[in-house]
Amino acid sequence: MSNTSTSAQKGQDFEKTLDQSDTKVASFEVKHHTLLERIQHLLHNNPTLVPVIVLIISLIAFGLIAGGKFFSAFNLSLILQQVSIIGILAAAQSLIILTAGIDLSVAAIMVLMSVVMGNLAVFSGVPSGIAIIIGLAGGVGAGVMNGWFITKVKLPPFITTLGTWSIFYALLLWLSGAQSIRGQDIDAEAPFLKFFGATFNLGGARITLSALLMIVVFVVLWYMLNKTAWGRHVYAIGDDKEAADMSGIRTDRTLLSVYGLAGFVCALAGWASIGRVGSISPQSFYEGNLDSITAVVIGGISLFGGRGSIMGALFGALIVGVFRSGLRLSGVDVLWQVFAIGWLIIIAVAIDQWIRRVSA
Amino acid sequence: MTTPVVQARGIVKRYGHVTAIDHSDFELRPGEVLAVIGDNGAGKSSIVKAICGATIPDEGEILIEGKPVKFNSPIEAREMGIEIVYQNLALSPALSIADNMFTGREIRKEGWMGKYLRMLDKPAMEQFARDKLTELGLMTVQSIKQPVETLSGGQRQGVAVARAAAFATKFIIMDEPTAALGVKESRKVLELIQDVRARGIPIILISHNMPHVFEVADRIHIHRLGKRLCTIDPKDYTMSDAVAFMTGAKEPPAQDVA
Ligand SMILES: Nc1ncnc2c1ncn2[C@@H]1O[C@H](COP(=O)(O)OP(=O)(O)O)[C@@H](O)[C@H]1O
Ligand SMILES: [Mg+2]
C-alpha cells in the first residue's frame, strides 16, 4: 500500500551504507526470526494483508463451490451494490475506531438524516438539493454532538454513542411517525433523493452509483488519513492520546473533527440509502451499527486504535458480502451465514491481538 | 551578567491538597547544562512542566530571555523554540520515526497539492529526519519509515532527543532521559547532551543518576519539598554532598553558591 518512491529507495541504500559504518553504538540485536515471527512482522507492517488474502481465498472458494453463477458479472455487481451502504458506514466507523473510539450511533444518524431529507423534500416542498444539504449538515451536527460529549464532557465513546443511538432513533421515529416514505412519492416529489440508485453499465455488470460512492468515500478518506497531517494526528491520537497531546497535537479539536466528519459520511450514506432501498424506512438498517463494526474488525483495524488501514474496512465489508452471497448461492441456510460471520469476527480480533504482540 | 534564558520566581502549583511546587525559583543560564536533582516527588517534573507550558502554575512569574511569558499550552512554548523530552518520551509507537519527529509541525508539499489538498511532503520530512539522526550519530536504524515501537529503548530516546534538538532554538528540557536505559545507551544520551550544548543550546537535565549529573552538568539545582533548596557547582562539591543536601541530611549552602 505504501509508495516506495525512487528517492526513498535511494535513502534506504544510503542508510544501509551508514549501517556498515557505525554499528558499534546502540546497534540492533541481530535475532534469528522464525517463519512465524516473520509472518507476524509482515502483518504488523501491512495489517490490510489479512483481509485481502481472506477476500481472495473466499472468492476462489465460493467460485469453486457455487460455480459460474457466483462469478457472473451480475452477481459480483450485486454484491458490490449490497455492501455499498454498510461499506460507507464502515468508512465512518473506521475513522472513529482509529482514534480508539467506537460509534454505536452511525446507523441511527444515517437513517435519521434520510428521514430529514425525505420529510423536507417530499412533504414540505423544500427543493431536493437544499433538503440534502440540510441532511448532510445535520449529520455533521450529530457527529459533533457525539464528539462534544466525548472531548468536553469527557464521557467514554461507548456510553456516549449508546446514548445518542437511542436519542437519534427516537427522533427518527418521531419525525417519520414510524411510517415509511413510499418510493412512488419520492419519485413524484423529489426524484433527486434517489440519485445514488441510478446504475450504469460496465462490461455487462450494472454498477449502482451507491457502489461508486462507496469507493470514492474510501479513496478520499484514505488520502486524508495517509497523506495529510490531520490523518497522522488521527493515528497518533488512537495510538497514545496523552503522547499525542504532549507532542503538540490539539487532540480535542482533531477528535471533534473526526466525529463531525464521520457524521457527515453517515448522512451521505443516508442519502445513498434512499436510492439503494428505493424508499425511506425508519426501520431499515437497524443492525447497521454492528454491521459496520463487523466490517471494520474483519478489515484488520484494531479496536484499540491507531492501527490498520481504512481500506481494510472496505475489504471487510466485501468479505461479509461475498460470504453472504456465496453461502446463499451454495444453498446454505441463512443461519449458517450468520454463524460464519461470527467466526470471522473472532478470528480477525484474535489475529489483531497476535500481531500487536510483535516483539521489537 | 548576561540575561538568564529562564528566570522563574515564586512558582506555585497545587493539585488538590498536594502542593507540587511551593514558591520555587528557577534559573537557566545561556549555554549551560543545568542538572535538576531531588527526591522522588520533590516536584522536579512539575517545575519544568510549568516552565514549558505543560502545566499552568497557580502563582509566580516566568521570564524567558528577560521577557515575561504566560504559556497556556506546550504548543505555545514550542513556538518559541522550547522543547521537552518527557519522562515517558511522548512518541506514538505505531507511527514511523519520520512521522514522530514532525508530529504537530508537519511539512506540506509546495504548490497546489500542499495548499488545497494539504498533501504532506513525506520525502522532505524523511530526508530531514534522516539528516538529524545522522548528525547525532543515531542513524543505526534500518529505515526512517520504521515504526518507533520496533526500536530499542535507547533508540527511542535517541528519536525523542533528536526531535527536541532539531527544533529547539532556546533550550531543551530532558526529564530523566537515562532512567530506563542500559549503560551503553545512557552513554549515547550523555554524548547527545554534550553535542547539543556544543551547539550553544542550554539544557535542563532532570536525573537521579549522580555520576551522570556530575559528568555533564555545569550547575546543579537541588530541589526539595517543592522548591529550590540551592544551586551548587559540581566542581566544589562531591556526589555525597549533593545527596545529603537533597535528602536533608546536611544543611545546604546559601542559595547563590553557583
Ligand atoms: N497531575 C498531577 N495530579 C496530582 N498530583 C500530581 C500531579 N503531578 C504531580 N503530582 C504530585 O506532585 C508531587 C511532585 O511530583 P513530580 O513533579 O512528578 O515529582 P518528581 O518529578 O520530582 O518525582 C508529587 O507528590 C506528585 O504526586
Ligand atoms: Mg519526575
Side-chain angles (χ1 to χ4, degrees):
Chain A
M1 189 136 289
S2 68
N3 51 325
T4 1
S5 62
T6 45
S7 70
Q9 212 100 48
K10 247 184 280 157
Q12 266 153 8
D13 290 339
F14 163 58
E15 281 157 25
K16 238 179 267 155
T17 50
L18 257 166
D19 269 353
Q20 287 157 8
S21 70
D22 184 8
T23 48
K24 298 175 295 297
V25 197
S27 62
F28 262 99
E29 248 180 274
V30 183
K31 266 197 258 170
H32 289 283
H33 294 291
T34 64
L35 180 64
L36 206 61
E37 276 174 336
R38 272 191 223 154
I39 294 173
Q40 197 181 15
H41 265 282
L42 184 70
L43 297 181
H44 186 255
N45 292 336
N46 309 283
T48 317
L49 219 51
V50 180
V52 169
I53 293 170
V54 171
L55 184 59
I56 292 171
I57 292 176
S58 51
L59 278 172
I60 295 172
F62 286 121
L64 291 176
I65 300 166
K69 47 185 197 300
F70 178 80
F71 261 130
S72 65
F74 171 76
N75 189 50
L76 292 180
S77 56
L78 188 68
I79 293 176
L80 210 55
Q81 182 188 334
Q82 281 168 341
V83 303
S84 59
I85 303 304
I86 292 302
I88 299 171
L89 278 189
Q93 188 70 260
S94 305
L95 287 174
I96 307 287
I97 288 183
L98 280 173
T99 66
I102 190 122
D103 192 342
L104 299 176
S105 71
V106 284
I109 295 177
M110 170 179 87
V111 181
L112 174 60
M113 292 313 150
S114 71
V115 168
V116 166
M117 292 177 196
N119 274 6
L120 289 172
V122 177
F123 299 134
S124 306
V126 175
S128 301
I130 294 179
I132 288 162
I133 291 171
I134 292 172
L136 294 176
V140 175
V144 167
M145 176 171 154
N146 280 334
W148 188 81
F149 282 122
I150 290 160
T151 57
K152 296 292 185 291
V153 192
K154 312 271 179 223
L155 301 181
F158 183 88
I159 300 301
T160 304
T161 57
L162 185 65
T164 54
W165 174 11
S166 282
I167 293 168
F168 297 148
Y169 190 66
L171 280 179
L172 78 89
L173 287 180
W174 172 62
L175 284 178
S176 64
Q179 299 290 310
S180 295
I181 303 178
R182 293 182 310 163
Q184 304 95 290
D185 295 338
I186 299 173
D187 288 336
E189 298 293 328
F192 188 52
L193 289 185
K194 282 192 178 179
F195 175 74
F196 285 107
T199 58
F200 63 94
N201 215 320
L202 190 84
R206 295 211 65 79
I207 309 283
T208 57
L209 289 184
S210 62
L212 201 65
L213 176 70
M214 170 180 75
I215 309 274
V216 169
V217 164
F218 272 101
V219 170
V220 169
L221 292 181
W222 178 85
Y223 175 88
M224 290 174 72
L225 284 168
N226 291 283
K227 300 293 171 191
T228 72
W230 177 85
R232 298 289 83 194
H233 296 175
V234 170
Y235 274 90
I237 290 169
D239 213 359
D240 186 340
K241 181 163 184 285
E242 215 189 328
D245 249 324
M246 293 196 295
S247 45
I249 294 173
R250 295 174 203 267
T251 51
D252 281 356
R253 200 188 287 182
T254 307
L255 275 176
L256 216 52
S257 73
V258 166
Y259 279 90
L261 177 60
F264 175 82
V265 173
C266 292
L268 204 56
W271 178 16
S273 74
I274 302 173
R276 161 82 187 85
V277 179
S279 61
I280 300 172
S281 161
Q283 261 82 26
S284 61
F285 296 102
Y286 190 72
E287 288 173 3
N289 298 322
L290 297 182
D291 288 344
S292 72
I293 296 170
T294 301
V296 171
V297 168
I298 293 178
I301 297 177
S302 174
L303 281 173
F304 302 97
R307 272 156 230 264
S309 166
I310 190 165
M311 284 303 171
L314 174 58
F315 298 127
L318 289 173
I319 289 170
V320 173
V322 165
F323 262 71
R324 290 226 167 105
S325 164
L327 291 171
R328 187 170 41 77
L329 289 179
S330 317
V332 178
D333 195 309
V334 174
L335 75 92
W336 296 113
Q337 298 171 28
V338 180
F339 182 85
I341 305 293
W343 279 110
L344 274 181
I345 295 174
I346 289 176
I347 292 167
V349 175
I351 291 177
D352 175 48
Q353 291 284 26
W354 178 63
I355 295 173
R356 289 164 57 85
R357 276 201 303 271
V358 74
S359 49
Chain B
M1 212 182 97
T2 51
T3 328
V5 181
V6 182
Q7 195 161 30
R9 290 190 213 108
I11 304 290
V12 176
K13 178 73 191 177
R14 298 185 193 90
Y15 294 104
H17 294 298
V18 181
T19 305
I21 317 173
D22 181 14
H23 297 91
S24 183
D25 298 337
F26 191 91
E27 188 180 287
L28 176 71
R29 297 176 189 165
E32 73 174 352
V33 173
L34 174 73
V36 178
I37 63 173
D39 235 342
N40 260 330
K44 306 181 294 295
S45 297
S46 299
I47 186 124
V48 296
K49 280 185 182 167
I51 289 165
C52 74
T55 60
I56 300 166
D58 300 324
E59 288 172 36
E61 65 169 349
I62 299 170
L63 306 172
I64 305 278
E65 292 177 341
K67 285 186 275 296
V69 293
K70 272 214 163 14
F71 296 130
N72 291 307
S73 77
I75 300 170
E76 289 175 20
R78 198 157 106 162
E79 279 160 5
M80 277 189 76
I82 298 166
E83 290 287 323
I84 179 162
V85 180
Y86 290 96
Q87 206 160 351
N88 52 0
L89 297 185
L91 298 172
S92 302
L95 294 187
S96 73
I97 297 170
D99 280 341
N100 265 290
M101 287 206 46
F102 282 93
T103 319
R105 53 187 145 213
E106 292 80 359
I107 307 177
R108 267 193 242 148
K109 272 213 161 57
E110 287 183 17
W112 64 275
M113 297 258 275
K115 199 160 173 205
Y116 300 110
L117 299 182
R118 311 196 142 248
M119 188 190 255
L120 291 175
D121 193 345
K122 290 208 173 182
M125 286 165 39
E126 282 156 13
Q127 187 58 48
F128 182 91
R130 202 176 284 122
D131 290 348
K132 285 297 161 189
L133 289 180
T134 310
E135 229 174 275
L136 295 170
L138 286 166
M139 243 354 271
T140 53
V141 295
Q142 288 159 339
S143 161
I144 210 79
K145 292 185 192 163
Q146 220 173 312
V148 160
E149 66 196 346
T150 62
L151 301 177
S152 72
Q155 288 172 324
R156 285 184 209 196
Q157 193 77 49
V159 172
V161 173
R163 171 168 77 177
F167 295 103
T169 53
K170 290 249 178 359
F171 62 93
I172 298 176
I173 298 168
M174 295 191 199
D175 197 349
E176 312 247 10
T178 57
L181 301 185
V183 177
K184 245 178 160 181
E185 295 184 325
S186 295
R187 286 250 58 82
K188 187 78 210 168
V189 170
L190 293 177
E191 281 170 30
L192 286 176
I193 290 173
Q194 277 155 339
D195 275 1
V196 173
R197 171 176 50 190
R199 283 192 250 153
I201 297 184
I203 294 170
I204 300 168
L205 168 71
I206 300 180
S207 181
H208 263 121
N209 188 312
M210 289 304 141
H212 292 172
V213 165
F214 274 73
E215 180 179 342
V216 297
D218 299 304
R219 258 178 352 122
I220 300 173
H221 164 136
I222 301 177
H223 213 72
R224 183 167 153 73
L225 304 175
K227 61 167 68 113
R228 181 170 74 180
L229 183 73
C230 59
T231 53
I232 59 171
D233 186 325
K235 289 190 287 296
D236 302 336
Y237 290 88
T238 65
M239 293 187 205
S240 32
D241 289 336
V243 174
F245 296 145
M246 136 188 163
T247 54
K250 203 166 163 183
E251 273 301 300
Q255 277 254 355
D256 49 1
V257 164

